[in-house]
Amino acid sequence: MIILGIESSCDETSAAVIEGKNNTVLLRSNIIASSLPTHIKTGGIIPENAAREQIRYIIPVIDEAIKLAEIKLSEIDAIALTYGPGLIGSLLVGVETARTISMVFNKPIIPVNHMLGHIYANWLIADSKGQIEKEKPYAISHKQSARIQFPSLGLVVSGGHTDLLLIQNHGKYKLLGGTRDDAAGEAFDKIGRLLGLGYPGGPYIEKAALHGDPKRFRLPRPMIGSSDFDFSFSGLKTAVLRETQSFGNLDTQTVNDLAFAAQDAIVDVIVKKSIKAAQKYAVKSILLSGGVAANQSLREKLNVNCQMLNVKFFAPSKNLCTDNAAMIASAGFFNFNPVSWNNVTADPELYFE
Ligand code: KG4
Ligand code: ZN
């Protein structure tokens, strides 16, 4: 089955082609256009700007994905589409484009929850090192994805969400907990701004933390010991604000030290809560996903903890952690519920049922 994925929920515009067979997904193309340079100028995403850029990108991006996959639009079996959650203007660009293709070519649409899509990037894992092979960028080996066993713990750590899901099987999942205020990525971004680093803050904090002194600051770990599986990161941002105010001008070493402390606190909370959930529900695997899943410290600490528990740990290759259409197509393949174009609408507030 050949699926065209379309993703436009936030600032990225992406189209991908996958070929699904049994328990495996072959990635044939994955094109991503980002309006990040526009958002860097404003220090964050202005929704109108994002949607305006996406209107320009969406057709060329789909065109390129189809060409790279060496197929024709008429040869796809279905369109997997992000219909929520996200920015309404951005979502509508993808939704209206998918509806048009669906109507013209008579292909059904598989509506995909963006957050669930992140988790399915784990079925796109490439070689044994978790990297897409450089010389054959879209030839994915199936060895790792075939090993994913249920029940599984899905951990989505992105700019808008920090969610823990118990996944019993494809299409059968339950939300265990989520963020009560700022998501992990949002915390990285806001703390990055406080430290005068670039946007988005996550990758900059990760880089600065490499030169940080682990012993200089210790920041709070909000809700680390609570009996539920919820998260809260807004207190951490306030704690960093207090530290920065006590310094006046921040020197580079202090920025690096605070970056280390902030990353350490966020990673610590995510790892402890995930491992607690993994133990409680006796899962066989943990599937890390979302933009923050690109963080090396988070990947390493989860991996070590999973090994101790004898739970298999999966994380997508780093370029598939942030928003892309390949993960949406993968989710569409494993959760195949096609509908006709006139039954698809954008749902900016969509959450897990
Ligand atoms: O999943 P994503 O691309 O978009 C949403 O659906 O929200 O996630 C974006 C988030 C941003 O907050 C960004 O700072 C964070 O992912 N991020 C990282 C890293 N790379 C991206 N956070 C920590 N470390 C990273 N290396
Ligand atoms: Zn996302």
Side-chain angles (χ1 to χ4, degrees):
M1 174 176 298
I2 296 189
I3 297 180
L4 168 70
I6 297 181
E7 155 64 37
S8 71
S9 64
C10 194
D11 58 332
E12 262 91 17
T13 314
S14 179
V17 175
I18 62 121
E19 193 178 338
K21 228 186 249 173
N22 303 324
N23 194 30
T24 63
V25 183
L26 181 72
L27 180 54
R28 305 235 328 225
S29 66
N30 187 36
I31 305 295
I32 306 168
S34 175
S35 50
L36 188 62
T38 308
H39 309 310
I40 288 171
K41 282 187 214 145
T42 50
I45 294 167
I46 300 193
E48 288 81 0
N49 292 350
R52 205 171 296 130
E53 295 286 297
Q54 286 167 314
I55 290 171
R56 293 197 309 132
Y57 294 149
I58 189 85
I59 302 292
V61 158
I62 292 174
D63 227 28
E64 212 177 318
I66 291 288
K67 269 197 204 119
L68 193 62
E70 296 174 346
I71 58 159
K72 295 192 195 104
L73 254 184
S74 56
E75 286 169 345
I76 62 168
D77 294 296
I79 305 160
L81 165 75
T82 298
Y83 74 108
L87 304 169
I88 181 67
S90 296
L91 285 170
L92 281 174
V93 175
V95 167
E96 292 310 322
T97 309
R99 279 162 52 103
T100 309
I101 296 172
S102 166
M103 197 177 69
V104 172
F105 291 91
N106 196 22
K107 307 289 177 185
I109 295 178
I110 313 159
V112 174
N113 179 329
H114 176 83
M115 310 315 298
L116 196 66
H118 269 299
I119 293 173
Y120 278 85
N122 280 293
W123 272 267
L124 295 166
I125 287 173
D127 58 20
S128 57
K129 294 187 211 92
Q131 299 292 329
I132 304 279
E133 291 171 65
K134 287 206 175 57
E135 61 279 13
K136 286 187 282 166
Y138 300 112
I140 304 297
S141 111
H142 305 132
K143 281 180 240 151
Q144 291 215 9
S145 56
R147 285 207 326 252
I148 294 177
Q149 285 181 347
F150 298 116
S152 187
L153 184 74
L155 170 57
V156 189
V157 270
S158 72
H161 289 256
T162 316
D163 290 325
L164 276 174
L165 285 183
L166 178 63
I167 308 171
Q168 299 286 7
N169 210 327
H170 297 298
K172 201 167 165 232
Y173 53 84
K174 182 177 129 191
L175 182 68
L176 300 178
T179 186
R180 294 197 180 168
D181 42 52
D182 293 355
E186 200 177 351
F188 270 112
D189 295 344
K190 288 180 175 171
I191 292 169
R193 207 167 299 143
L194 289 175
L195 297 179
L197 297 170
Y199 176 85
Y204 288 96
I205 290 185
E206 174 165 28
K207 227 168 165 189
L210 292 174
H211 308 287
D213 174 358
K215 298 213 179 79
R216 180 148 172 225
F217 297 101
R218 177 150 179 105
L219 294 169
R221 272 102 169 111
M223 297 185 70
I224 198 164
S226 68
S227 55
D228 51 33
F229 294 108
D230 284 346
F231 298 89
S232 159
F233 291 108
S234 73
L236 181 61
K237 172 196 65 197
T238 313
V240 174
L241 175 66
R242 237 177 270 130
E243 291 289 354
T244 56
Q245 282 170 340
S246 72
F247 280 97
N249 268 349
L250 291 173
D251 60 82
T252 308
Q253 191 55 52
T254 304
V255 168
N256 294 344
D257 297 344
L258 280 170
F260 180 93
Q263 177 179 272
D264 200 42
I266 294 170
V267 167
D268 203 15
V269 174
I270 296 173
V271 171
K272 291 261 159 60
K273 289 243 152 146
S274 306
I275 293 300
K276 196 172 86 175
Q279 282 176 306
K280 177 165 178 185
Y281 294 99
V283 299
K284 293 189 174 138
S285 57
I286 290 188
L287 309 177
L288 177 64
S289 67
V292 182
N295 187 280
Q296 191 61 26
S297 167
L298 178 61
R299 292 164 88 94
E300 281 171 11
K301 288 191 177 144
L302 265 176
N303 190 26
V304 167
N305 277 273
C306 280
Q307 277 175 7
M308 290 193 288
L309 269 189
N310 211 10
V311 166
K312 287 223 164 78
F313 173 66
F314 295 87
S317 59
K318 289 187 184 180
N319 57 343
L320 293 172
C321 288
T322 43
D323 293 348
N324 65 83
M327 67 188 200
I328 302 301
S330 173
F333 172 68
F334 287 109
N335 300 271
F336 192 75
N337 59 339
V339 298
S340 128
W341 65 269
N342 48 358
N343 286 323
V344 181
T345 45
D347 185 352
E349 307 296 332
L350 180 70
Y351 200 33
F352 293 112
E353 305 82 59

